[in-house]
Amino acid sequence: MALPDDFTFGVATSAYQIEGGRSEDGKGESIWDRFADNGRMPESGDVACDHYHRWQEDIALMGELGVDAYRFSIAWTRVLPEGRGAINQAGLDFYDRLVDGLLEAGITPYPTLYHWDLPQALEDDGGWTNRATVDAFAEYAEVVSGRLGDRATDWITHNEPWVATFLGHLEGVFAPGRTSWEEALTAGHHILLSHGRAVPVLRAAGAQQVGIALDCRPAFSATDSPADAAATRHFDGFRNRWFFDPVFGLGYPEDMLAAYRERGRFVGDHIPAEKPGDLEEIATDIDFVGLNYYTSLPISAATGDESEETGVPTGPNPPPGHTEMGWPITPEALTGYLVHLTQRYEPKAIRITENGASYSDVPGADGRTRDQARIDYLAAHIAAVDAAVEAGAPVDSYFVWSLMDNLEWVEGYRQRFGLVHVDHATGARSPKDSYYWYRDLIAERR
Ligand code: FCB
């Protein structure tokens, strides 16, 4: 492998998907709690993996796995139940103990400030559509980093702004369930602005490496027809460039501003929420960009230039070459995309902050979970990262999504991304074959 000796191998999770402890020790209500209460989820995260109580067991699992780093997210409502103002010390204490426990196990903590669980109190005031939420986010960043910044050195501001923006505010299939273009573009702008505002706050508290985790759907044209090529370019703008470009100082893509204007999505030359100076703040210097990569998609004018529809349903027994999320398995596109990002944006470093596959294998009679499909997926994607490094991409880390099976948002518990199987009736954890495979891969490189 071309990967350098100091390459970081880790695992990732997020608060709502694993913690549970919904109202414990003073935790406030988040937009996902409300979304679940409104019947928008097959299961709620009220208990999830009960990590709030089992965190020591989970650190032990990571210790045995031998990972260098653990990416987790902080539940804003544990720390600031109302989003701003009164601080809940008990919530901060939880993350304080977690960070200490990780460091004792020799694992570098990678806190993510925002993995989509906005305090409901802020949502009641307009949420991300309200510019005041940017200030609330900076306040939250200050409170958390003020407590953890003496020990946590690597930080991520936001996870996947595209998802929070468009699934949450346009399609309405994720919390908070809004469905308007104007609200989506406004929310997305404020999310990016809050990233820019939080970076210096984190640095002031001692953070040494600060970045943002952007998701992507690299797209390729289904045919070489001009119509499909145009649809692919639009899709790339909608899905990828809309966030990467401003973060790297290129502003919002001109072709997309024109297309949105033409489609009547906002009036004027700027998106509704933009103010002078915002783009400079969004383009604040970062130490790395996180990339969450799962799949890439063929785009055609016929399916639509803003659609991810592949025609493959989610669920068990996917067609060959797909995971149970219905996503095509496309490791070679990861190599290509990493090289593309390197050339277009010249990031100082790229970290694969999520990559993984959903397969619902469960323990057999002998207790062993044979998840060879996951091993194949991970091996192919690590090889794809290796090829990108060989080609000059500055990738220095790779995090598997996920340490353990967890609440896969609106897909519920049926989608299983874990290296560790979780019996959601009892909370019992049991490592799968992929866990031992990853453990050996890490050990062999040492
Ligand atoms: C990403 C999310 C993560 C998980 C994976 C499968 O979009 O960041 O929480 O749901 O997908």
Side-chain angles (χ1 to χ4, degrees):
M1 287 205 274
L3 301 180
D5 287 346
D6 59 356
F7 192 85
T8 294
F9 282 101
V11 284
T13 64
S14 90
Y16 186 68
Q17 293 176 277
I18 67 163
E19 283 183 0
R22 167 176 176 155
S23 307
E24 239 159 295
D25 301 329
K27 180 182 172 295
E29 183 189 21
S30 84
I31 56 174
W32 280 92
D33 294 325
R34 180 67 65 91
F35 206 58
D37 286 353
N38 287 341
R40 302 291 308 271
M41 320 252 303
E43 289 106 6
S44 80
D46 290 3
V47 177
C49 301
D50 198 26
H51 170 79
Y52 190 68
H53 300 108
R54 291 175 174 258
W55 59 277
Q56 284 160 306
E57 183 183 347
D58 294 334
I59 291 178
L61 280 165
M62 288 187 267
E64 185 127 333
L65 184 55
V67 285
D68 306 300
Y70 173 46
R71 174 174 176 236
F72 59 97
S73 82
I74 292 171
W76 189 337
T77 50
R78 270 194 209 292
V79 174
L80 293 157
E82 296 295 313
R84 57 195 318 170
I87 298 170
N88 180 36
Q89 291 299 336
L92 274 177
D93 291 346
F94 172 71
Y95 296 109
D96 198 81
R97 289 192 295 269
L98 181 69
V99 163
D100 282 345
L102 289 166
L103 291 171
E104 272 163 38
I107 300 166
T108 302
Y110 263 71
T112 297
L113 289 176
Y114 190 74
H115 203 120
W116 312 340
D117 44 356
L118 189 77
Q120 181 61 40
L122 297 182
E123 180 62 25
D124 293 342
D125 283 338
W128 286 113
T129 68
N130 181 351
R131 198 175 172 95
T133 298
V134 177
D135 298 320
F137 186 74
E139 183 182 325
Y140 162 55
E142 188 173 355
V143 170
V144 176
S145 60
R147 181 71 177 270
L148 307 179
D150 57 336
R151 285 152 294 150
T153 52
D154 298 73
W155 291 77
I156 292 168
T157 54
H158 278 273
N159 179 69
E160 302 194 348
W162 184 89
V163 170
T165 298
F166 289 110
L167 296 188
H169 298 80
L170 174 67
E171 296 182 25
V173 293
F174 274 24
R178 294 175 185 251
T179 53
S180 113
W181 266 99
E182 181 161 349
E183 288 185 337
L185 293 174
T186 301
H189 181 70
H190 289 147
I191 287 172
L192 284 176
L193 188 60
S194 74
H195 154 75
R197 196 155 299 170
V199 171
V201 173
L202 294 171
R203 290 226 176 91
Q208 286 159 26
Q209 294 277 305
V210 186
I212 182 168
L214 299 178
D215 54 318
C216 66
R217 283 287 188 275
F220 55 93
S221 189
T223 72
D224 50 19
S225 79
D228 287 351
T232 304
R233 177 152 181 83
H234 182 94
F235 181 87
D236 178 54
F238 166 67
R239 192 64 175 78
N240 306 313
R241 286 181 287 125
W242 190 258
F243 293 92
F244 280 93
D245 278 14
V247 163
F248 283 100
L250 304 180
Y252 290 109
E254 284 298 335
D255 60 325
M256 298 310 295
L257 290 169
Y260 290 162
R261 219 174 284 139
E262 202 174 293
R263 295 178 188 193
R265 283 163 186 175
F266 59 90
V267 186
D269 291 336
H270 299 280
I271 66 164
E274 196 181 324
K275 301 266 186 299
D278 285 2
L279 288 174
E280 287 72 22
E281 199 168 357
I282 291 170
T284 187
D285 187 45
I286 49 176
D287 302 291
F288 65 90
V289 64
L291 184 73
N292 292 1
Y293 181 84
Y294 291 93
T295 189
S296 82
L297 297 172
I299 300 299
S300 72
T303 14
D305 56 13
E306 288 168 359
S307 166
E308 297 192 20
E309 204 40 73
T310 59
V312 176
T314 62
N317 306 313
H322 293 75
T323 70
E324 293 188 18
M325 290 294 278
W327 294 337
I329 302 172
T330 56
E332 62 298 328
L334 173 57
T335 307
Y337 202 66
L338 288 168
V339 171
H340 160 76
L341 291 182
T342 303
Q343 289 165 352
R344 182 173 172 87
Y345 304 111
E346 301 180 345
K348 289 183 194 158
I350 305 175
R351 300 191 173 155
I352 307 297
T353 34
E354 285 182 27
N355 176 242
S358 171
Y359 293 105
S360 53
D361 308 286
V362 295
D366 58 357
R368 194 175 141 193
T369 303
R370 294 167 172 77
D371 59 337
Q372 187 60 41
R374 176 173 294 99
I375 295 175
D376 293 345
Y377 179 99
L378 296 175
H381 286 78
I382 291 171
V385 172
D386 192 55
V389 169
E390 187 105 58
V395 189
D396 63 13
S397 318
Y398 174 91
F399 292 79
V400 173
W401 183 272
S402 177
L403 167 65
M404 57 188 159
D405 296 338
N406 56 51
L407 182 68
E408 180 47 36
W409 308 107
V410 293
E411 287 282 321
Y413 292 122
R414 71 180 185 140
Q415 298 288 354
R416 295 181 175 272
F417 278 88
L419 298 175
V420 174
H421 176 269
V422 177
D423 177 336
H424 290 293
T426 64
R429 279 94 162 119
S430 68
K432 305 178 188 177
D433 281 2
S434 57
Y435 171 97
Y436 296 109
W437 170 84
Y438 196 44
R439 180 193 66 178
D440 293 349
L441 177 137
I442 295 169
E444 272 162 29
R445 289 181 43 84
R446 289 246 167 82

Short mmCIF file of all heavy atoms in Angstrom, two decimals, residues 14 17 71 115-116 159-160 163 215 292 294 325 327 354 401 406-409 417, ligand 1:
data_model
loop_
_atom_site.label_atom_id
_atom_site.label_comp_id
_atom_site.label_asym_id
_atom_site.label_seq_id
_atom_site.Cartn_x
_atom_site.Cartn_y
_atom_site.Cartn_z
N SER A 14 -22.58 8.57 15.33
CA SER A 14 -23.14 9.90 15.66
C SER A 14 -24.08 9.78 16.84
O SER A 14 -24.63 8.70 17.12
CB SER A 14 -23.87 10.51 14.46
OG SER A 14 -25.23 10.14 14.47
N GLN A 17 -27.78 8.46 16.64
CA GLN A 17 -27.85 7.09 16.16
C GLN A 17 -27.43 6.05 17.19
O GLN A 17 -27.74 4.87 17.04
CB GLN A 17 -27.01 6.94 14.88
CG GLN A 17 -27.59 7.73 13.72
CD GLN A 17 -26.72 7.68 12.48
OE1 GLN A 17 -25.77 8.45 12.36
NE2 GLN A 17 -27.01 6.78 11.57
N ARG A 71 -14.37 8.92 15.62
CA ARG A 71 -15.18 10.09 15.28
C ARG A 71 -16.58 9.90 15.85
O ARG A 71 -17.26 8.92 15.51
CB ARG A 71 -15.24 10.24 13.76
CG ARG A 71 -16.16 11.34 13.33
CD ARG A 71 -16.15 11.63 11.83
NE ARG A 71 -17.17 12.63 11.62
CZ ARG A 71 -18.21 12.53 10.80
NH1 ARG A 71 -18.34 11.48 10.01
NH2 ARG A 71 -19.10 13.49 10.74
N HIS A 115 -24.19 16.74 13.97
CA HIS A 115 -24.62 15.63 13.10
C HIS A 115 -26.15 15.65 13.09
O HIS A 115 -26.80 14.68 13.48
CB HIS A 115 -24.03 14.31 13.62
CG HIS A 115 -23.92 13.23 12.57
ND1 HIS A 115 -22.72 12.66 12.20
CD2 HIS A 115 -24.86 12.63 11.82
CE1 HIS A 115 -22.93 11.74 11.27
NE2 HIS A 115 -24.22 11.70 11.01
N TRP A 116 -26.69 16.83 12.75
CA TRP A 116 -28.10 17.02 12.37
C TRP A 116 -29.11 17.18 13.50
O TRP A 116 -30.30 17.35 13.24
CB TRP A 116 -28.60 15.87 11.47
CG TRP A 116 -27.72 15.54 10.33
CD1 TRP A 116 -26.76 16.32 9.76
CD2 TRP A 116 -27.73 14.32 9.57
NE1 TRP A 116 -26.16 15.66 8.71
CE2 TRP A 116 -26.74 14.44 8.57
CE3 TRP A 116 -28.50 13.15 9.64
CZ2 TRP A 116 -26.48 13.42 7.65
CZ3 TRP A 116 -28.24 12.15 8.73
CH2 TRP A 116 -27.24 12.28 7.74
N ASN A 159 -21.48 17.77 9.90
CA ASN A 159 -21.55 16.55 9.12
C ASN A 159 -22.55 16.72 7.98
O ASN A 159 -23.72 17.03 8.22
CB ASN A 159 -22.02 15.37 9.99
CG ASN A 159 -22.11 14.08 9.18
OD1 ASN A 159 -21.08 13.54 8.77
ND2 ASN A 159 -23.32 13.61 8.93
N GLU A 160 -22.10 16.54 6.76
CA GLU A 160 -22.97 16.45 5.59
C GLU A 160 -24.01 17.56 5.49
O GLU A 160 -25.22 17.31 5.59
CB GLU A 160 -23.65 15.08 5.55
CG GLU A 160 -22.67 13.93 5.51
CD GLU A 160 -23.31 12.59 5.13
OE1 GLU A 160 -24.55 12.50 5.10
OE2 GLU A 160 -22.56 11.65 4.82
N VAL A 163 -27.16 16.94 3.29
CA VAL A 163 -28.27 16.15 3.84
C VAL A 163 -29.14 17.02 4.75
O VAL A 163 -30.37 17.06 4.62
CB VAL A 163 -27.74 14.91 4.60
CG1 VAL A 163 -28.87 14.23 5.37
CG2 VAL A 163 -27.10 13.93 3.63
N ASP A 215 -20.48 15.40 2.40
CA ASP A 215 -20.84 14.19 1.68
C ASP A 215 -20.77 14.47 0.19
O ASP A 215 -20.68 15.62 -0.24
CB ASP A 215 -22.23 13.70 2.07
CG ASP A 215 -23.30 14.76 1.93
OD1 ASP A 215 -23.03 15.92 2.30
OD2 ASP A 215 -24.39 14.45 1.44
N ASN A 292 -17.25 12.10 3.18
CA ASN A 292 -18.07 10.92 3.43
C ASN A 292 -18.42 10.32 2.08
O ASN A 292 -19.07 10.97 1.26
CB ASN A 292 -19.35 11.29 4.18
CG ASN A 292 -19.08 11.76 5.60
OD1 ASN A 292 -17.94 11.83 6.05
ND2 ASN A 292 -20.14 12.07 6.32
N TYR A 294 -19.93 6.95 -0.11
CA TYR A 294 -20.63 5.66 -0.14
C TYR A 294 -20.82 5.11 -1.54
O TYR A 294 -20.71 3.92 -1.77
CB TYR A 294 -22.00 5.77 0.55
CG TYR A 294 -21.87 5.97 2.03
CD1 TYR A 294 -21.84 7.24 2.59
CD2 TYR A 294 -21.72 4.87 2.88
CE1 TYR A 294 -21.68 7.42 3.96
CE2 TYR A 294 -21.55 5.04 4.25
CZ TYR A 294 -21.53 6.32 4.78
OH TYR A 294 -21.36 6.49 6.13
N MET A 325 -28.67 -0.57 1.06
CA MET A 325 -29.25 0.78 0.90
C MET A 325 -29.68 0.98 -0.56
O MET A 325 -30.19 2.05 -0.90
CB MET A 325 -28.25 1.86 1.30
CG MET A 325 -27.95 1.94 2.80
SD MET A 325 -29.36 2.45 3.82
CE MET A 325 -29.30 4.23 3.65
N TRP A 327 -27.53 1.17 -2.92
CA TRP A 327 -26.47 1.98 -3.52
C TRP A 327 -25.50 1.13 -4.33
O TRP A 327 -25.00 0.10 -3.83
CB TRP A 327 -25.68 2.71 -2.43
CG TRP A 327 -26.45 3.74 -1.68
CD1 TRP A 327 -27.58 4.39 -2.10
CD2 TRP A 327 -26.17 4.24 -0.36
NE1 TRP A 327 -28.00 5.28 -1.12
CE2 TRP A 327 -27.16 5.20 -0.05
CE3 TRP A 327 -25.18 3.98 0.59
CZ2 TRP A 327 -27.19 5.91 1.16
CZ3 TRP A 327 -25.19 4.68 1.80
CH2 TRP A 327 -26.20 5.63 2.08
N GLU A 354 -16.22 9.07 6.59
CA GLU A 354 -17.18 7.96 6.61
C GLU A 354 -17.05 7.16 5.33
O GLU A 354 -16.94 7.73 4.24
CB GLU A 354 -18.64 8.45 6.67
CG GLU A 354 -19.09 8.97 8.00
CD GLU A 354 -20.56 9.39 8.00
OE1 GLU A 354 -21.35 8.85 7.19
OE2 GLU A 354 -20.90 10.27 8.79
N TRP A 401 -17.65 3.77 8.65
CA TRP A 401 -18.99 3.92 9.18
C TRP A 401 -19.60 2.53 9.16
O TRP A 401 -19.84 2.01 8.09
CB TRP A 401 -19.86 4.87 8.34
CG TRP A 401 -21.20 5.02 8.99
CD1 TRP A 401 -22.30 4.22 8.80
CD2 TRP A 401 -21.55 5.96 10.00
NE1 TRP A 401 -23.31 4.61 9.64
CE2 TRP A 401 -22.88 5.67 10.38
CE3 TRP A 401 -20.87 7.01 10.63
CZ2 TRP A 401 -23.55 6.41 11.36
CZ3 TRP A 401 -21.54 7.74 11.59
CH2 TRP A 401 -22.86 7.44 11.95
N ASN A 406 -26.53 0.66 14.17
CA ASN A 406 -27.19 1.73 14.92
C ASN A 406 -28.47 2.17 14.22
O ASN A 406 -28.90 1.53 13.26
CB ASN A 406 -26.21 2.89 15.14
CG ASN A 406 -25.63 3.42 13.84
OD1 ASN A 406 -26.38 3.72 12.90
ND2 ASN A 406 -24.31 3.52 13.76
N LEU A 407 -29.04 3.25 14.69
CA LEU A 407 -30.31 3.72 14.13
C LEU A 407 -30.03 4.47 12.83
O LEU A 407 -29.53 5.60 12.86
CB LEU A 407 -31.02 4.64 15.12
CG LEU A 407 -32.38 5.15 14.63
CD1 LEU A 407 -33.39 4.02 14.55
CD2 LEU A 407 -32.89 6.27 15.51
N GLU A 408 -30.33 3.82 11.71
CA GLU A 408 -30.03 4.43 10.41
C GLU A 408 -31.17 5.39 10.02
O GLU A 408 -31.90 5.16 9.06
CB GLU A 408 -29.77 3.35 9.36
CG GLU A 408 -29.45 3.84 7.95
CD GLU A 408 -28.42 4.97 7.86
OE1 GLU A 408 -27.46 4.98 8.64
OE2 GLU A 408 -28.62 5.85 7.00
N TRP A 409 -31.33 6.45 10.83
CA TRP A 409 -32.29 7.51 10.54
C TRP A 409 -33.66 6.93 10.14
O TRP A 409 -34.15 6.07 10.84
CB TRP A 409 -31.71 8.46 9.46
CG TRP A 409 -30.34 8.94 9.86
CD1 TRP A 409 -29.14 8.56 9.32
CD2 TRP A 409 -30.01 9.85 10.93
NE1 TRP A 409 -28.10 9.18 9.98
CE2 TRP A 409 -28.59 9.98 10.96
CE3 TRP A 409 -30.76 10.58 11.86
CZ2 TRP A 409 -27.93 10.79 11.88
CZ3 TRP A 409 -30.09 11.40 12.77
CH2 TRP A 409 -28.70 11.49 12.77
N PHE A 417 -24.84 -1.08 9.48
CA PHE A 417 -23.55 -0.64 8.93
C PHE A 417 -22.37 -1.05 9.83
O PHE A 417 -21.23 -0.73 9.54
CB PHE A 417 -23.53 0.89 8.80
CG PHE A 417 -24.18 1.43 7.55
CD1 PHE A 417 -25.54 1.71 7.51
CD2 PHE A 417 -23.43 1.66 6.40
CE1 PHE A 417 -26.14 2.23 6.36
CE2 PHE A 417 -24.01 2.18 5.25
CZ PHE A 417 -25.37 2.47 5.23
C1 FCB B 1 -24.32 9.28 6.23
C2 FCB B 1 -24.54 9.80 7.63
C3 FCB B 1 -24.42 8.76 8.70
C4 FCB B 1 -25.00 7.43 8.27
C5 FCB B 1 -24.44 7.03 6.93
C6 FCB B 1 -24.92 5.70 6.44
O1 FCB B 1 -25.04 10.06 5.34
O2 FCB B 1 -23.64 10.83 7.92
O3 FCB B 1 -25.04 9.26 9.85
O4 FCB B 1 -26.36 7.50 8.28
O5 FCB B 1 -24.76 7.99 5.98
#
